[in-house]
Amino acid sequence: QKEVEQDPGPLSVPEGAIVSLNCTYSNSAFQYFMWYRQYSRKGPELLMYTYSSGNKEDGRFTAQVDKSSKYISLFIRDSQPSDSATYLCAIGSTSYGKLTFGQGTILTVHP
Amino acid sequence: GAVVSQHPSRVICKSGTSVKIECRSLDFQATTMFWYRQFPKQSLMLMATSNEGSKATYEQGVEKDKFLINHASLTLSTLTVTSAHPEDSSFYICSARVDSAHSGNTIYFGEGSWLTVV
């Protein structure tokens, strides 16, 4: 079993839709959770970072963490074509900064 | 926002030669940096953790003599691919952990470096 599982998609939605991206993890020692967006042939861009269960909102993005279920989600409201990218969840277990990544979900938002 | 710069962004080299990739944190100090490689349509695979002033910690299966890492300052880490072979062709990405008591574990990534070995 992989430490972090993420549905690779691809996911295709119309502009304006609400997008839900999800990851599950197996190690309860994981303490902090990040979401990155990666455009083709570019490095990942940090979108959200949280370390507690619950919701964290930033603009159109909401990160949700449920530590009891070992489940994290990223919601994108009013999705735009510019949101088309690969979304990676990343999870860490220590303050050292070592991350374990999900496989990435390819999202396409069509006009 | 924080910026991590990687150079070169794209490099082509001949088989058997060595290639150096630089990773710089431009507006923050980073005691710890990470090196990843990513194959097409796959996720990032951690290669090694680079610590300023000490030896890098390599992940299982990564040859330390082939992928030399030097973290000589708080803003610069380098990855040298020695005696490169075509199978080393990949997208190499670095990340840097912000040195700040208030930043938690904020980690920023560079733009990546495409290596093609011919």
PDB file of all heavy atoms in Angstrom, chain B residues 68-96:
ATOM      1  N   LEU B  68      25.746  13.769  -7.086  1.00  0.00           N
ATOM      2  CA  LEU B  68      26.481  14.473  -6.048  1.00  0.00           C
ATOM      3  C   LEU B  68      25.753  15.745  -5.648  1.00  0.00           C
ATOM      4  O   LEU B  68      25.371  16.542  -6.498  1.00  0.00           O
ATOM      5  CB  LEU B  68      27.893  14.827  -6.557  1.00  0.00           C
ATOM      6  CG  LEU B  68      28.766  13.646  -6.981  1.00  0.00           C
ATOM      7  CD1 LEU B  68      30.123  14.157  -7.478  1.00  0.00           C
ATOM      8  CD2 LEU B  68      28.962  12.656  -5.856  1.00  0.00           C
ATOM      9  N   ILE B  69      25.577  15.915  -4.363  1.00  0.00           N
ATOM     10  CA  ILE B  69      24.864  17.079  -3.865  1.00  0.00           C
ATOM     11  C   ILE B  69      25.773  17.875  -2.945  1.00  0.00           C
ATOM     12  O   ILE B  69      26.417  17.325  -2.058  1.00  0.00           O
ATOM     13  CB  ILE B  69      23.582  16.657  -3.123  1.00  0.00           C
ATOM     14  CG1 ILE B  69      22.573  16.088  -4.132  1.00  0.00           C
ATOM     15  CG2 ILE B  69      22.976  17.823  -2.350  1.00  0.00           C
ATOM     16  CD1 ILE B  69      21.365  15.454  -3.492  1.00  0.00           C
ATOM     17  N   ASN B  70      25.787  19.179  -3.180  1.00  0.00           N
ATOM     18  CA  ASN B  70      26.573  20.090  -2.364  1.00  0.00           C
ATOM     19  C   ASN B  70      25.684  21.238  -1.924  1.00  0.00           C
ATOM     20  O   ASN B  70      25.015  21.873  -2.738  1.00  0.00           O
ATOM     21  CB  ASN B  70      27.766  20.628  -3.179  1.00  0.00           C
ATOM     22  CG  ASN B  70      28.687  21.465  -2.321  1.00  0.00           C
ATOM     23  OD1 ASN B  70      28.286  22.456  -1.735  1.00  0.00           O
ATOM     24  ND2 ASN B  70      29.930  21.066  -2.251  1.00  0.00           N
ATOM     25  N   HIS B  71      25.658  21.507  -0.622  1.00  0.00           N
ATOM     26  CA  HIS B  71      24.816  22.579  -0.079  1.00  0.00           C
ATOM     27  C   HIS B  71      25.739  23.505   0.698  1.00  0.00           C
ATOM     28  O   HIS B  71      25.817  23.447   1.925  1.00  0.00           O
ATOM     29  CB  HIS B  71      23.743  21.964   0.816  1.00  0.00           C
ATOM     30  CG  HIS B  71      22.620  22.878   1.160  1.00  0.00           C
ATOM     31  ND1 HIS B  71      21.349  22.400   1.440  1.00  0.00           N
ATOM     32  CD2 HIS B  71      22.547  24.216   1.276  1.00  0.00           C
ATOM     33  CE1 HIS B  71      20.564  23.413   1.723  1.00  0.00           C
ATOM     34  NE2 HIS B  71      21.255  24.522   1.625  1.00  0.00           N
ATOM     35  N   ALA B  72      26.462  24.332  -0.041  1.00  0.00           N
ATOM     36  CA  ALA B  72      27.556  25.099   0.533  1.00  0.00           C
ATOM     37  C   ALA B  72      27.120  26.356   1.259  1.00  0.00           C
ATOM     38  O   ALA B  72      27.877  26.903   2.059  1.00  0.00           O
ATOM     39  CB  ALA B  72      28.551  25.460  -0.569  1.00  0.00           C
ATOM     40  N   SER B  73      25.913  26.832   0.986  1.00  0.00           N
ATOM     41  CA  SER B  73      25.444  28.035   1.662  1.00  0.00           C
ATOM     42  C   SER B  73      23.960  27.891   1.969  1.00  0.00           C
ATOM     43  O   SER B  73      23.324  26.934   1.543  1.00  0.00           O
ATOM     44  CB  SER B  73      25.690  29.259   0.791  1.00  0.00           C
ATOM     45  OG  SER B  73      24.711  29.350  -0.228  1.00  0.00           O
ATOM     46  N   LEU B  74      23.436  28.847   2.690  1.00  0.00           N
ATOM     47  CA  LEU B  74      22.023  28.787   3.086  1.00  0.00           C
ATOM     48  C   LEU B  74      21.075  29.126   1.947  1.00  0.00           C
ATOM     49  O   LEU B  74      19.850  29.094   2.127  1.00  0.00           O
ATOM     50  CB  LEU B  74      21.771  29.734   4.264  1.00  0.00           C
ATOM     51  CG  LEU B  74      22.377  29.289   5.592  1.00  0.00           C
ATOM     52  CD1 LEU B  74      22.194  30.377   6.643  1.00  0.00           C
ATOM     53  CD2 LEU B  74      21.748  27.985   6.074  1.00  0.00           C
ATOM     54  N   THR B  75      21.630  29.456   0.791  1.00  0.00           N
ATOM     55  CA  THR B  75      20.765  29.792  -0.334  1.00  0.00           C
ATOM     56  C   THR B  75      21.092  29.012  -1.603  1.00  0.00           C
ATOM     57  O   THR B  75      20.483  29.246  -2.642  1.00  0.00           O
ATOM     58  CB  THR B  75      20.865  31.299  -0.668  1.00  0.00           C
ATOM     59  OG1 THR B  75      22.226  31.612  -0.982  1.00  0.00           O
ATOM     60  CG2 THR B  75      20.394  32.154   0.495  1.00  0.00           C
ATOM     61  N   LEU B  76      22.012  28.076  -1.517  1.00  0.00           N
ATOM     62  CA  LEU B  76      22.419  27.375  -2.736  1.00  0.00           C
ATOM     63  C   LEU B  76      22.691  25.898  -2.486  1.00  0.00           C
ATOM     64  O   LEU B  76      23.459  25.529  -1.597  1.00  0.00           O
ATOM     65  CB  LEU B  76      23.681  28.014  -3.326  1.00  0.00           C
ATOM     66  CG  LEU B  76      24.320  27.304  -4.526  1.00  0.00           C
ATOM     67  CD1 LEU B  76      23.363  27.303  -5.725  1.00  0.00           C
ATOM     68  CD2 LEU B  76      25.649  27.949  -4.890  1.00  0.00           C
ATOM     69  N   SER B  77      22.057  25.068  -3.286  1.00  0.00           N
ATOM     70  CA  SER B  77      22.369  23.651  -3.321  1.00  0.00           C
ATOM     71  C   SER B  77      22.592  23.269  -4.777  1.00  0.00           C
ATOM     72  O   SER B  77      21.932  23.801  -5.672  1.00  0.00           O
ATOM     73  CB  SER B  77      21.222  22.816  -2.745  1.00  0.00           C
ATOM     74  OG  SER B  77      21.476  21.428  -2.872  1.00  0.00           O
ATOM     75  N   THR B  78      23.537  22.371  -5.017  1.00  0.00           N
ATOM     76  CA  THR B  78      23.787  21.922  -6.387  1.00  0.00           C
ATOM     77  C   THR B  78      23.676  20.412  -6.475  1.00  0.00           C
ATOM     78  O   THR B  78      24.017  19.687  -5.534  1.00  0.00           O
ATOM     79  CB  THR B  78      25.182  22.351  -6.882  1.00  0.00           C
ATOM     80  OG1 THR B  78      26.179  21.772  -6.038  1.00  0.00           O
ATOM     81  CG2 THR B  78      25.321  23.858  -6.879  1.00  0.00           C
ATOM     82  N   LEU B  79      23.170  19.966  -7.611  1.00  0.00           N
ATOM     83  CA  LEU B  79      23.085  18.543  -7.924  1.00  0.00           C
ATOM     84  C   LEU B  79      23.936  18.301  -9.155  1.00  0.00           C
ATOM     85  O   LEU B  79      23.728  18.947 -10.189  1.00  0.00           O
ATOM     86  CB  LEU B  79      21.642  18.140  -8.209  1.00  0.00           C
ATOM     87  CG  LEU B  79      21.422  16.743  -8.802  1.00  0.00           C
ATOM     88  CD1 LEU B  79      21.738  15.662  -7.791  1.00  0.00           C
ATOM     89  CD2 LEU B  79      19.972  16.589  -9.293  1.00  0.00           C
ATOM     90  N   THR B  80      24.908  17.430  -9.052  1.00  0.00           N
ATOM     91  CA  THR B  80      25.737  17.072 -10.199  1.00  0.00           C
ATOM     92  C   THR B  80      25.455  15.636 -10.592  1.00  0.00           C
ATOM     93  O   THR B  80      25.616  14.724  -9.769  1.00  0.00           O
ATOM     94  CB  THR B  80      27.235  17.239  -9.881  1.00  0.00           C
ATOM     95  OG1 THR B  80      27.490  18.595  -9.500  1.00  0.00           O
ATOM     96  CG2 THR B  80      28.082  16.898 -11.101  1.00  0.00           C
ATOM     97  N   VAL B  81      25.013  15.466 -11.814  1.00  0.00           N
ATOM     98  CA  VAL B  81      24.798  14.129 -12.356  1.00  0.00           C
ATOM     99  C   VAL B  81      26.098  13.723 -13.035  1.00  0.00           C
ATOM    100  O   VAL B  81      26.487  14.319 -14.045  1.00  0.00           O
ATOM    101  CB  VAL B  81      23.629  14.110 -13.359  1.00  0.00           C
ATOM    102  CG1 VAL B  81      23.374  12.688 -13.864  1.00  0.00           C
ATOM    103  CG2 VAL B  81      22.368  14.683 -12.723  1.00  0.00           C
ATOM    104  N   THR B  82      26.775  12.762 -12.469  1.00  0.00           N
ATOM    105  CA  THR B  82      28.082  12.364 -12.996  1.00  0.00           C
ATOM    106  C   THR B  82      27.938  11.209 -13.981  1.00  0.00           C
ATOM    107  O   THR B  82      27.044  10.367 -13.854  1.00  0.00           O
ATOM    108  CB  THR B  82      29.015  11.935 -11.856  1.00  0.00           C
ATOM    109  OG1 THR B  82      28.463  10.778 -11.214  1.00  0.00           O
ATOM    110  CG2 THR B  82      29.181  13.057 -10.837  1.00  0.00           C
ATOM    111  N   SER B  83      28.822  11.209 -14.973  1.00  0.00           N
ATOM    112  CA  SER B  83      28.824  10.163 -15.988  1.00  0.00           C
ATOM    113  C   SER B  83      27.386   9.866 -16.445  1.00  0.00           C
ATOM    114  O   SER B  83      26.885   8.736 -16.316  1.00  0.00           O
ATOM    115  CB  SER B  83      29.478   8.900 -15.432  1.00  0.00           C
ATOM    116  OG  SER B  83      29.631   7.926 -16.441  1.00  0.00           O
ATOM    117  N   ALA B  84      26.762  10.892 -16.947  1.00  0.00           N
ATOM    118  CA  ALA B  84      25.336  10.785 -17.294  1.00  0.00           C
ATOM    119  C   ALA B  84      25.096   9.769 -18.402  1.00  0.00           C
ATOM    120  O   ALA B  84      25.903   9.620 -19.326  1.00  0.00           O
ATOM    121  CB  ALA B  84      24.814  12.154 -17.702  1.00  0.00           C
ATOM    122  N   HIS B  85      23.974   9.087 -18.307  1.00  0.00           N
ATOM    123  CA  HIS B  85      23.543   8.135 -19.319  1.00  0.00           C
ATOM    124  C   HIS B  85      22.141   8.495 -19.766  1.00  0.00           C
ATOM    125  O   HIS B  85      21.411   9.205 -19.052  1.00  0.00           O
ATOM    126  CB  HIS B  85      23.583   6.709 -18.766  1.00  0.00           C
ATOM    127  CG  HIS B  85      24.964   6.186 -18.587  1.00  0.00           C
ATOM    128  ND1 HIS B  85      25.631   6.252 -17.386  1.00  0.00           N
ATOM    129  CD2 HIS B  85      25.820   5.594 -19.452  1.00  0.00           C
ATOM    130  CE1 HIS B  85      26.830   5.728 -17.521  1.00  0.00           C
ATOM    131  NE2 HIS B  85      26.980   5.322 -18.765  1.00  0.00           N
ATOM    132  N   PRO B  86      21.720   8.013 -20.914  1.00  0.00           N
ATOM    133  CA  PRO B  86      20.378   8.363 -21.410  1.00  0.00           C
ATOM    134  C   PRO B  86      19.262   8.084 -20.407  1.00  0.00           C
ATOM    135  O   PRO B  86      18.288   8.840 -20.354  1.00  0.00           O
ATOM    136  CB  PRO B  86      20.243   7.497 -22.667  1.00  0.00           C
ATOM    137  CG  PRO B  86      21.643   7.387 -23.179  1.00  0.00           C
ATOM    138  CD  PRO B  86      22.500   7.284 -21.937  1.00  0.00           C
ATOM    139  N   GLU B  87      19.413   7.060 -19.590  1.00  0.00           N
ATOM    140  CA  GLU B  87      18.357   6.761 -18.612  1.00  0.00           C
ATOM    141  C   GLU B  87      18.278   7.792 -17.486  1.00  0.00           C
ATOM    142  O   GLU B  87      17.327   7.791 -16.700  1.00  0.00           O
ATOM    143  CB  GLU B  87      18.534   5.356 -18.020  1.00  0.00           C
ATOM    144  CG  GLU B  87      19.870   5.113 -17.356  1.00  0.00           C
ATOM    145  CD  GLU B  87      20.876   4.469 -18.299  1.00  0.00           C
ATOM    146  OE1 GLU B  87      20.809   4.716 -19.521  1.00  0.00           O
ATOM    147  OE2 GLU B  87      21.735   3.713 -17.796  1.00  0.00           O
ATOM    148  N   ASP B  88      19.298   8.673 -17.418  1.00  0.00           N
ATOM    149  CA  ASP B  88      19.253   9.761 -16.436  1.00  0.00           C
ATOM    150  C   ASP B  88      18.425  10.937 -16.948  1.00  0.00           C
ATOM    151  O   ASP B  88      18.173  11.894 -16.190  1.00  0.00           O
ATOM    152  CB  ASP B  88      20.669  10.247 -16.106  1.00  0.00           C
ATOM    153  CG  ASP B  88      21.514   9.166 -15.464  1.00  0.00           C
ATOM    154  OD1 ASP B  88      20.960   8.357 -14.691  1.00  0.00           O
ATOM    155  OD2 ASP B  88      22.737   9.116 -15.752  1.00  0.00           O
ATOM    156  N   SER B  89      18.028  10.886 -18.197  1.00  0.00           N
ATOM    157  CA  SER B  89      17.214  11.961 -18.758  1.00  0.00           C
ATOM    158  C   SER B  89      15.902  12.046 -17.981  1.00  0.00           C
ATOM    159  O   SER B  89      15.181  11.059 -17.839  1.00  0.00           O
ATOM    160  CB  SER B  89      16.920  11.690 -20.240  1.00  0.00           C
ATOM    161  OG  SER B  89      18.121  11.627 -20.980  1.00  0.00           O
ATOM    162  N   SER B  90      15.628  13.221 -17.476  1.00  0.00           N
ATOM    163  CA  SER B  90      14.445  13.383 -16.623  1.00  0.00           C
ATOM    164  C   SER B  90      14.262  14.860 -16.308  1.00  0.00           C
ATOM    165  O   SER B  90      15.056  15.704 -16.704  1.00  0.00           O
ATOM    166  CB  SER B  90      14.637  12.588 -15.323  1.00  0.00           C
ATOM    167  OG  SER B  90      13.475  12.615 -14.520  1.00  0.00           O
ATOM    168  N   PHE B  91      13.202  15.152 -15.579  1.00  0.00           N
ATOM    169  CA  PHE B  91      12.936  16.487 -15.064  1.00  0.00           C
ATOM    170  C   PHE B  91      13.393  16.490 -13.603  1.00  0.00           C
ATOM    171  O   PHE B  91      12.891  15.710 -12.801  1.00  0.00           O
ATOM    172  CB  PHE B  91      11.440  16.766 -15.175  1.00  0.00           C
ATOM    173  CG  PHE B  91      11.017  18.187 -14.911  1.00  0.00           C
ATOM    174  CD1 PHE B  91      11.727  19.247 -15.444  1.00  0.00           C
ATOM    175  CD2 PHE B  91       9.888  18.450 -14.149  1.00  0.00           C
ATOM    176  CE1 PHE B  91      11.316  20.555 -15.233  1.00  0.00           C
ATOM    177  CE2 PHE B  91       9.475  19.756 -13.913  1.00  0.00           C
ATOM    178  CZ  PHE B  91      10.189  20.814 -14.458  1.00  0.00           C
ATOM    179  N   TYR B  92      14.366  17.320 -13.282  1.00  0.00           N
ATOM    180  CA  TYR B  92      14.891  17.388 -11.923  1.00  0.00           C
ATOM    181  C   TYR B  92      14.384  18.671 -11.273  1.00  0.00           C
ATOM    182  O   TYR B  92      14.511  19.762 -11.831  1.00  0.00           O
ATOM    183  CB  TYR B  92      16.421  17.360 -11.943  1.00  0.00           C
ATOM    184  CG  TYR B  92      16.976  16.023 -12.376  1.00  0.00           C
ATOM    185  CD1 TYR B  92      17.179  15.740 -13.728  1.00  0.00           C
ATOM    186  CD2 TYR B  92      17.271  15.032 -11.444  1.00  0.00           C
ATOM    187  CE1 TYR B  92      17.664  14.503 -14.130  1.00  0.00           C
ATOM    188  CE2 TYR B  92      17.757  13.797 -11.842  1.00  0.00           C
ATOM    189  CZ  TYR B  92      17.950  13.537 -13.180  1.00  0.00           C
ATOM    190  OH  TYR B  92      18.423  12.314 -13.568  1.00  0.00           O
ATOM    191  N   ILE B  93      13.818  18.508 -10.096  1.00  0.00           N
ATOM    192  CA  ILE B  93      13.223  19.652  -9.404  1.00  0.00           C
ATOM    193  C   ILE B  93      13.790  19.748  -7.994  1.00  0.00           C
ATOM    194  O   ILE B  93      13.918  18.732  -7.307  1.00  0.00           O
ATOM    195  CB  ILE B  93      11.689  19.506  -9.287  1.00  0.00           C
ATOM    196  CG1 ILE B  93      11.071  19.161 -10.640  1.00  0.00           C
ATOM    197  CG2 ILE B  93      11.068  20.771  -8.733  1.00  0.00           C
ATOM    198  CD1 ILE B  93       9.593  18.835 -10.539  1.00  0.00           C
ATOM    199  N   CYS B  94      14.099  20.967  -7.587  1.00  0.00           N
ATOM    200  CA  CYS B  94      14.548  21.170  -6.213  1.00  0.00           C
ATOM    201  C   CYS B  94      13.453  21.887  -5.441  1.00  0.00           C
ATOM    202  O   CYS B  94      12.583  22.534  -6.019  1.00  0.00           O
ATOM    203  CB  CYS B  94      15.840  21.961  -6.162  1.00  0.00           C
ATOM    204  SG  CYS B  94      15.641  23.708  -6.549  1.00  0.00           S
ATOM    205  N   SER B  95      13.498  21.743  -4.145  1.00  0.00           N
ATOM    206  CA  SER B  95      12.617  22.524  -3.286  1.00  0.00           C
ATOM    207  C   SER B  95      13.413  22.994  -2.087  1.00  0.00           C
ATOM    208  O   SER B  95      14.464  22.429  -1.759  1.00  0.00           O
ATOM    209  CB  SER B  95      11.398  21.710  -2.840  1.00  0.00           C
ATOM    210  OG  SER B  95      11.787  20.671  -1.953  1.00  0.00           O
ATOM    211  N   ALA B  96      12.934  24.044  -1.459  1.00  0.00           N
ATOM    212  CA  ALA B  96      13.641  24.618  -0.317  1.00  0.00           C
ATOM    213  C   ALA B  96      12.654  24.870   0.808  1.00  0.00           C
ATOM    214  O   ALA B  96      11.559  25.399   0.581  1.00  0.00           O
ATOM    215  CB  ALA B  96      14.326  25.922  -0.733  1.00  0.00           C
TER     216      ALA B  96
END
